[in-house]
């Protein structure tokens, strides 16, 4: 089964941006995540390839271009295959 889109909270978790899916949902609800420049307000918002996700974390801001999806959360190497780092502050 090939995925062409995925919930943003699940994608952030699979890409290992956050430790848990609930932490991803909390970031989104708190307004710390943007999708293509627009603030995301719901964890169920879908992302697709070539979308740009901006995440404000304690350590700075990460800007990631979505390159793929996963059915399950893998190791760090598998997570890096899901995105291209555009910028990290």
């Amino acid at each position: 089964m090939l995925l062409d889109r995925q919930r943003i909270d699940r994608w952030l978790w699979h890409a290992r941006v956050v430790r848990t899916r609930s932490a991803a949902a909390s970031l989104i609800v708190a307004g710390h995540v943007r999708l293509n420049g627009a603030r995301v307000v719901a964890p169920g918002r879908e992302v697709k390839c070539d979308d740009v996700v901006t995440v404000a974390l304690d350590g700075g801001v990460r800007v990631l271009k979505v390159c793929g999806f996963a059915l399950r959360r893998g190791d760090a190497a598998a997570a890096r295959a899901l995105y291209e780092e555009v910028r990290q502050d």
Side-chain angles (χ1 to χ4, degrees), residues 54-55 57 59-64 83-89:
T54 306
V55 184
L57 300 166
V61 176
R62 292 183 73 184
V63 182
L64 310 170
Y83 63 87
E84 177 183 313
E85 192 93 37
V86 176
R87 190 183 92 203
Q88 182 175 358
D89 289 339

Side-chain angles (χ1 to χ4, degrees), residues 18-61:
V18 293
R19 286 182 172 227
T20 65
R21 198 165 152 198
S22 61
S26 295
L27 271 178
I28 293 164
V29 170
H32 298 295
V33 179
R34 291 183 178 267
L35 179 62
N36 298 322
R39 181 170 285 154
V40 179
V41 294
R45 176 77 187 267
E46 292 187 332
V47 293
K48 57 188 183 316
C49 282
D50 296 326
D51 279 346
V52 176
V53 177
T54 306
V55 184
L57 300 166
D58 291 336
V61 176

Side-chain angles (χ1 to χ4, degrees), residues 8-22 24 72-73 79 82:
I8 193 165
D9 61 338
R10 183 174 289 234
W11 186 84
L12 288 168
W13 179 57
H14 285 182
R16 292 188 171 263
V17 176
V18 293
R19 286 182 172 227
T20 65
R21 198 165 152 198
S22 61
R72 303 182 77 160
R73 189 172 195 233
L82 302 181

